[in-house]
Amino acid sequence: MLDPSFIVAQLPAVLGAAAVTAWIWAASAILGVAGGVGIALARRFGPRPVDLALKFSIEMVRGSPFLVQLFLLYYGGPYVGLSLDPVPAGLLALTVYGAAYYSEIIRGGFAAVPPGHVEAAACLGFTHAQTLLRVEIPEVAAVVLPALVNMTILLLKETAVLSVITVPELTMAISAIGSESYRFVEALFLLALFYWGLVEGCGVLGRFAEARLARFGVAAP
Amino acid sequence: MNPALFRLLVEATGYTVALSAVSIVAGLAVGLAVATAMLSRRRALSMPARAFVSFFRGVPLLVQLLLIYNLLPSVGIDLPGIVAAAIGLTLCTAAYQAETLRGGFAGVPRGLVEAADMVGLTPVQLFWRIRVPIAVKLTLPSLVSEAIMILKASSLVSVVGVVELTRMAQDLAASTYRPLPIYATAGALYIAVDWGIAGLGHALERRSRWGRA
């Protein structure tokens, strides 16, 4: 049933689409983590109204389906002067979606820093900025890394949704191949292979980062 | 917003809730079977169960839905869209629930199992009366968040043409040219149902104080 020559013939198109998936994924993950850190810090150090506004927005993003958010941005955006092409719209929606989840993970990480460490840093004469940069952030990074990797894998799976607004990524390319040729077995095989490869790649990067960060790890109380 | 449009959206929310509820319950049953198979000592049982979980957790749900929707007819099984959607959601959530239930089974205190064995429960009784209730109870909080995940994931079945909340919003947005209020309302309705599920989960947790070890 599986025809290797068919798969080989489709490879160039699929590789191109996989590259689109990979870069949108990587960009939204990096921007999303940056946004998540920003949100977590703004909620921690900003005035209370900012904290509440961000909390409400995060609740909205985490509570509603990504597809609805994508439609709201892509089809609703032009009515408020935000006309975006599919790729930027998809990237923006995915970044916002990721940032909401990442910020919650990071906020939880800050809560896990033992107060004693912060106090010890203060006793040693660290400024607030030094404490944040040299004590809290490294510890937070070590604690939240597995959850961040997890979320990043979820983000990869959300990139498939972008096919609905015609972003030329893997799922779109492969459903096109499937519906043109009716060879869904080969298409499935290719698709599973690529997503699996991307997830494994992310896992390898995550384990590497975990090993590097392990030295900042907080011992279990 | 026009009350007639709002009513259509609320009605469609009913379909979304029904589809999610069916998938969650059926997914719990399938997930229980898969978790049991995963914990089996027989590799002929545990290997396929692992492969099932790995596949359905690793591949995007949208892709699974497209596959079920396209693959089944090509092998001669013709299903209505709503059934294909329910099967897709059920299999996906079953994989996630199996993984959590596996953890729940591991959390069943050994002493309870041994005590049940001592008082003469058969292995089947022991499974249904001791291990399953405790495992489900232990995993209740993640079951609730899984229900919320599935509610949100059910929006994807709009892509295979099932008219639920997201599809209804799409149709209304296309016919009224007012996507902003319609999609915003759809999002708000999803959030309202989320809260309902979370509230239900808290109530269930309060009611199930039994079985503490």
Side-chain angles (χ1 to χ4, degrees):
Chain A
M1 219 169 160
L2 208 66
D3 179 1
S5 65
F6 176 76
I7 292 177
V8 171
Q10 303 297 338
L11 263 183
V14 174
L15 275 176
V20 173
T21 289
W23 86 254
I24 290 183
W25 178 36
S28 61
I30 293 166
L31 295 172
V33 170
V37 171
I39 293 170
L41 291 177
R43 287 190 62 186
R44 196 174 152 83
F45 298 110
R48 184 142 175 78
V50 172
D51 176 35
L52 287 179
L54 286 171
K55 185 180 171 186
F56 177 78
S57 318
I58 289 169
E59 194 68 0
M60 296 297 110
V61 173
R62 297 205 326 156
S64 59
F66 178 62
L67 183 60
V68 172
Q69 296 163 20
L70 190 64
F71 282 154
L72 192 61
L73 176 70
Y74 186 65
Y75 295 114
Y79 289 82
V80 289
L82 190 69
S83 293
L84 292 173
D85 285 333
V87 171
L91 185 60
L92 179 60
L94 208 56
T95 300
V96 170
Y97 181 81
Y101 280 89
Y102 285 128
S103 79
E104 283 293 277
I105 294 171
I106 291 160
R107 204 170 59 91
F110 273 106
V113 174
H117 291 196
V118 178
E119 285 159 18
C123 285
L124 291 169
F126 281 36
T127 65
H128 281 299
Q130 280 175 325
T131 310
L132 186 67
L133 279 176
R134 306 205 162 235
V135 179
E136 288 186 271
I137 287 180
E139 287 191 8
V140 170
V143 169
V144 300
L145 198 70
L148 291 186
V149 172
N150 228 348
M151 182 57 214
T152 306
I153 289 173
L154 288 180
L155 211 54
L156 169 67
K157 293 196 278 169
E158 296 292 351
T159 62
V161 175
L162 301 185
S163 62
V164 178
I165 59 161
T166 69
V167 172
E169 48 67 76
L170 259 182
T171 302
M172 178 154 164
I174 291 201
S175 7
I177 293 172
S179 46
E180 278 163 20
S181 62
Y182 287 99
R183 299 182 108 150
F184 287 103
V185 178
E186 282 87 350
L188 156 68
F189 181 75
L190 268 177
L191 194 66
L193 203 68
F194 273 98
Y195 278 113
W196 179 77
L198 287 169
V199 167
E200 281 302 304
C202 180
V204 167
L205 278 178
R207 279 192 289 279
F208 173 75
E210 246 171 84
R212 286 290 310 266
L213 282 172
R215 63 201 169 103
F216 298 120
V218 188
Chain B
M1 157 170 278
N2 185 332
L5 291 183
F6 187 69
R7 258 197 50 196
L8 284 172
L9 286 175
V10 171
E11 274 172 32
T13 310
Y15 284 104
T16 286
V17 171
L19 181 63
S20 312
V22 166
S23 307
I24 277 288
V25 173
L28 180 61
V30 179
L32 211 51
V34 174
T36 316
M38 275 169 97
L39 290 168
S40 167
R41 276 190 210 91
R42 279 184 224 151
R43 285 170 67 84
L45 280 177
S46 67
M47 291 294 279
R50 265 170 225 288
F52 172 89
V53 169
S54 157
F55 177 79
F56 282 97
R57 281 171 28 118
V59 174
L61 176 62
L62 179 62
V63 175
Q64 296 167 23
L65 289 172
L66 289 173
L67 278 168
I68 291 173
Y69 194 67
N70 292 310
L71 199 59
L72 290 183
S74 74
V75 295
I77 306 170
D78 212 358
L79 290 173
I82 183 103
V83 178
I87 293 175
L89 284 174
T90 299
L91 293 180
C92 179
T93 184
Y96 281 92
Q97 292 191 44
E99 193 66 22
T100 27
L101 283 171
R102 197 169 61 100
F105 278 125
V108 177
R110 281 188 65 86
L112 277 178
V113 177
E114 281 162 16
D117 196 27
M118 289 287 282
V119 297
L121 263 66
T122 64
V124 174
Q125 282 176 323
L126 196 145
F127 181 74
W128 285 111
R129 308 215 166 187
I130 308 291
R131 300 185 62 207
V132 169
I134 294 177
V136 170
K137 196 202 120 59
L138 285 176
T139 53
L140 200 58
S142 38
L143 208 62
V144 171
S145 48
E146 179 60 24
I148 292 177
M149 290 299 287
I150 280 299
L151 177 82
K152 293 193 289 166
S154 74
S155 64
L156 294 178
V157 309
S158 62
V159 177
V160 294
V162 176
V163 181
E164 37 62 77
L165 179 52
T166 300
R167 184 61 180 229
M168 180 59 85
Q170 247 176 301
D171 292 349
L172 294 179
S175 56
T176 60
Y177 297 102
R178 297 181 61 213
L180 271 179
I182 286 172
Y183 286 128
T185 308
L189 285 168
Y190 275 106
I191 291 166
V193 181
D194 287 345
W195 286 343
I197 296 174
L200 199 68
H202 286 308
L204 272 175
E205 267 175 68
R206 267 200 306 280
R207 275 205 48 190
S208 61
R209 290 265 180 244
W210 49 270
R212 295 217 167 245

